[in-house]
Amino acid sequence: MLTEGAVGLVDVWTSTWAGEPRTIWLESRPSEAGRLQLVALAPDGSRCDLLPEGFSARSGVHEYGGGAAWVERDTIWFVNWTDQRLYRLTSGSMPTALTPEPPEPRSLRYADMRLSPDGQWIVCVRESHRGGPGAGEYQVVNEVVLLRANQPSEPTVVFSATDFVANPRFVGDHRLRWIAWDHPNMPWNDTALYELTLDHDGGQSAPVRLAWRESLMQPVGDFVISDRSNWWNIWQVAGGVMTPIAPLDAEMSGPAWVFGERDFVVADDGRVAFAVGGTVHVDGRPTETSAAGFDHWSIEGTTITVIARFDDRDAEIVRFDLADPAGWRTVVAGRALPLVAADLATPAPIEFPTVDGAPNAYGWFYPPTHASVTGRLDDRPPLVVMIHGGPTANAAPYFSLAKQFWTSRGFAVVDVNHRGSTGFGREFRNLLDGQWGIVDVEDCCAAARYLAGAGRVDRSKMVIRGGSAGGFTVLASMAFADAFAAGASSYGIADLAVLAADTHKFEARYCDRLIGPWPAAREVYEARSPIHHLDGFDRPLIAFQGLDDMVVPPNQSEMIVAALRAKGVECEYHAYEGEGHGFRKAATIVDALTAELAFYQRILG
């Protein structure tokens, strides 16, 4: 079930196509090696793939991508994964490349495009790899560019004065706004909102900085998301003044790891709509719904189309009127899975103490669940501790067959939001500053011990799994703590110093804030790196790695596996050709999970 018929809903639009109103969405397909396909829903309910063979709408900017397609006025603009060029597609035609052939393969990458109000221009982010794929940070340039929307042209640079740019958006007929920031910041630290004026021929005024020294995201008209109140809320920017819109002590957005996120909409009459979890807010009025969250909002008149995510079933595309958010209708349903409610573990929020004097941390607990099988009354289940990546990210209670895979086999699962996770305000997020490799390890161990102390899991059968930054936390937990009987690291970081010298531009200075400035803090990097602390690493490890990973290169997994094997620690290593940072192919997903299950069964008896 994990892969057969599985798709991931990535984005959604409403537009006309072939002369008729259509819902168009972007979906990822494990069965097609992770290809991202654009699909249109016809009035009769039938579905039609829009991208011909050989095309996949996926951007490589920042390596994480996002914002790879935009749909408007019977036209689709998209970035093709193979060559990273920007293409134009209309009904009944083949895609046409709008951007020039790069000097080296995939060396010019595009993302986050928008159409000008007059339909003549596309504005987007361009990332130039001047030394080719995998080039160091000083050979990669990020900038806002403008190009013709309907014919091939040489893009014109609009702005290139900072290390990074995102979210270029037209405001009215002639103004353009975007977000920018510099190393060592990430987009959730210190960014700025800029504006300039364009004329009909693409000429421009000097950029003006409207706001800065806060985390700003997703400008829409005169509105923008900011965390200046501690929480990511919506603010209006007008006349040099920022005014909060429906302020809440809660967050209605998450960290900008990828491009193209759309977490709120503004109606023609000025009403603003967004969601906090499954609660939709329209013009300050909250409405509870049965969803666990919403993303990729779009609006036509007063009708909203959005991706709804649930805790008990696959995501859906739904549509509702601003006056009745709970009265939605499903436009595109998820899979009809051959499961009953009694087969599914429902997430329950937990809050638990961490270390003396420190704030509590959070998580989602999933008990082992099966319609026809129960554990022995005198027994407690084994526990799988899951830790999110980032580490600036968040565990959300969204339905995941990858979690149900474990709970249906008798494992309990806890998905941890350690100190420094998003969703709990800027102050909580900043608790990770200088503490990565410490507080995340403490909180994963604390979550496991909290559940064991409550008699909900077997203290002797607790394991930890995570990928990327979560994989680092797995390795650090195994090296510096003794809570877990085994660990599973996917593309995890073993040597922070090596990572600092060998990663992509977007995260090249990320550790300056999480650990300390490199190389001045070299001793701290070594003190936090599991590869230098193998004395306490004496429990089994299984490691997974994509061999095309540009974010955490394969040498990270290879070095910890070699060191543990030399020490005599039981260790499995699974490497996958054609996989990058995160596994997309059905065969890889199945192989990795079944290998991990067999590993735990053997280790835990």
Side-chain angles (χ1 to χ4, degrees):
M1 288 184 217
L2 278 164
T3 58
E4 288 208 13
V7 298
L9 294 177
V10 178
D11 211 336
V12 63
W13 303 264
T14 54
S15 183
T16 52
W17 190 258
E20 296 180 306
R22 301 287 181 98
T23 300
I24 297 174
W25 67 95
L26 182 64
E27 65 181 36
S28 61
R29 296 177 174 177
S31 62
E32 297 180 30
R35 180 188 186 193
L36 275 77
Q37 174 64 278
L38 285 154
V39 187
L41 183 69
D44 63 3
S46 61
R47 303 181 182 189
C48 175
D49 289 353
L50 301 181
L51 296 183
E53 195 65 35
F55 287 88
S56 175
R58 180 183 167 195
S59 171
V61 179
H62 291 178
E63 301 300 335
Y64 294 106
W70 186 250
V71 182
E72 194 171 345
R73 300 188 182 186
D74 293 295
T75 306
I76 296 172
W77 293 266
F78 73 95
V79 179
N80 185 38
W81 173 247
T82 305
D83 57 12
Q84 288 299 291
R85 298 172 73 185
L86 182 62
Y87 286 77
R88 179 178 182 269
L89 177 65
T90 57
S91 178
S93 67
M94 289 291 291
T96 301
L98 297 183
T99 56
E101 185 79 36
E104 299 177 52
R106 305 181 83 249
S107 62
L108 295 176
R109 306 176 183 184
Y110 300 85
D112 215 10
M113 65 287 296
R114 288 294 187 275
L115 181 68
S116 63
D118 63 9
Q120 298 302 305
W121 302 95
I122 285 288
V123 66
C124 61
V125 172
R126 181 176 69 182
E127 184 175 85
S128 304
H129 289 247
R130 293 180 175 173
E137 63 171 299
Y138 298 111
Q139 297 173 286
V140 179
V141 176
N142 297 72
E143 50 205 358
V144 177
V145 299
L146 197 69
L147 62 148
R148 292 289 180 180
N150 301 309
Q151 64 190 53
S153 65
E154 181 68 41
T156 300
V157 176
V158 174
F159 181 83
S160 61
T162 56
D163 288 326
F164 300 99
V165 291
N167 307 150
R169 302 291 184 261
F170 289 98
V171 182
D173 290 334
H174 303 293
R175 288 180 296 150
L176 184 68
R177 287 182 177 176
W178 66 94
I179 306 297
W181 69 96
D182 285 307
H183 279 317
N185 292 303
M186 299 296 284
W188 44 86
N189 301 139
D190 183 349
T191 63
L193 174 66
Y194 284 86
E195 179 180 284
L196 59 73
T197 302
L198 293 169
D199 61 32
H200 290 293
D201 296 322
Q204 64 186 66
S205 66
V208 175
R209 193 170 59 174
L210 302 179
W212 62 98
R213 294 177 183 166
E214 56 199 283
S215 176
L216 297 145
M217 302 183 292
Q218 301 179 35
V220 176
D222 286 330
F223 300 88
V224 69
I225 297 172
S226 169
D227 70 347
R228 60 168 48 194
S229 68
N230 183 52
W231 305 95
W232 272 315
N233 280 192
I234 300 172
W235 294 69
Q236 188 170 23
V237 186
V241 177
M242 288 184 65
T243 306
I245 304 297
L248 295 169
D249 288 346
E251 297 195 322
M252 44 73 62
S253 187
W257 278 102
V258 298
F259 295 100
E261 299 295 322
R262 305 196 308 275
D263 290 313
F264 72 100
V265 289
V266 181
D268 293 339
D269 60 9
R271 284 184 290 173
V272 177
F274 62 91
V276 175
T279 302
V280 176
H281 296 256
V282 178
D283 204 25
R285 300 189 319 274
T287 300
E288 297 288 339
T289 75
S290 60
F294 299 88
D295 56 77
H296 291 91
W297 296 61
S298 62
I299 187 168
E300 286 192 350
T302 61
T303 301
I304 288 175
T305 303
V306 65
I307 299 174
R309 311 214 180 254
F310 305 90
D311 62 11
D312 61 353
R313 63 186 188 274
D314 279 347
E316 300 176 351
I317 297 174
V318 303
R319 186 166 291 145
F320 59 83
D321 191 85
L322 284 174
D324 185 19
W328 72 49
R329 68 180 182 88
T330 298
V331 180
V332 177
R335 286 178 296 170
L337 296 168
L339 299 168
V340 296
D343 281 318
L344 302 178
T346 301
I350 62 170
E351 180 178 348
F352 54 90
T354 55
V355 296
D356 290 343
N360 289 351
Y362 306 88
W364 297 96
F365 180 69
Y366 298 76
T369 307
H370 196 288
S372 57
V373 179
T374 58
R376 294 186 296 268
L377 293 178
D378 60 347
D379 208 355
R380 295 290 179 269
L383 174 68
V384 175
V385 175
M386 293 189 177
I387 177 62
H388 60 70
T392 306
N394 176 268
Y398 298 158
F399 180 72
S400 163
L401 281 178
K403 293 188 183 76
Q404 306 293 335
F405 177 86
W406 299 107
T407 57
S408 66
R409 285 162 172 77
F411 291 83
V413 168
V414 63
D415 206 1
V416 177
N417 276 317
H418 57 73
R419 284 168 288 166
S421 299
T422 53
F424 306 93
R426 185 184 184 102
E427 293 174 5
F428 189 86
R429 189 164 79 243
N430 287 347
L431 293 174
L432 199 62
D433 289 356
Q435 299 297 308
W436 189 34
I438 297 175
V439 299
D440 48 322
V441 172
E442 289 175 343
D443 294 0
C444 285
C445 295
R449 289 166 177 155
Y450 169 79
L451 292 167
R456 303 175 78 174
V457 300
D458 186 337
R459 187 182 298 271
S460 68
K461 294 183 178 181
M462 303 191 300
V463 300
I464 183 170
R465 70 189 304 267
S468 191
F472 164 73
T473 302
V474 169
L475 299 177
S477 297
M478 301 292 285
F480 299 113
D482 59 1
F484 303 108
S489 168
S490 295
Y491 32 90
I493 302 153
D495 191 326
L496 294 165
V498 171
L499 183 76
D502 183 23
T503 191
H504 59 135
K505 179 187 176 184
F506 181 58
E507 294 180 89
R509 300 285 299 280
Y510 188 17
C511 287
D512 282 24
R513 193 179 185 102
L514 297 174
I515 298 169
W518 174 262
R522 181 185 295 272
E523 291 184 359
V524 182
Y525 281 69
E526 292 180 356
R528 302 271 181 88
S529 295
I531 194 67
H532 299 304
H533 300 276
L534 298 177
D535 288 348
F537 204 136
D538 55 8
R539 282 139 297 148
L541 175 76
I542 187 169
F544 303 93
Q545 179 69 49
L547 295 177
D548 294 344
D549 197 334
M550 299 296 293
V551 177
V552 178
N555 62 351
Q556 291 283 341
S557 291
E558 291 163 359
M559 71 173 74
I560 193 70
V561 168
L564 291 174
R565 285 176 173 169
K567 187 187 173 190
V569 175
E570 181 172 354
C571 189
E572 282 189 27
Y573 181 47
H574 298 259
Y576 300 101
E577 295 278 358
E579 292 282 14
H581 198 65
F583 300 149
R584 296 173 177 270
K585 299 178 181 179
T588 304
I589 294 167
V590 170
D591 184 79
L593 267 177
T594 52
E596 188 178 348
L597 174 63
F599 176 75
Y600 294 152
Q601 289 173 327
R602 184 174 69 257
I603 299 302
L604 301 179

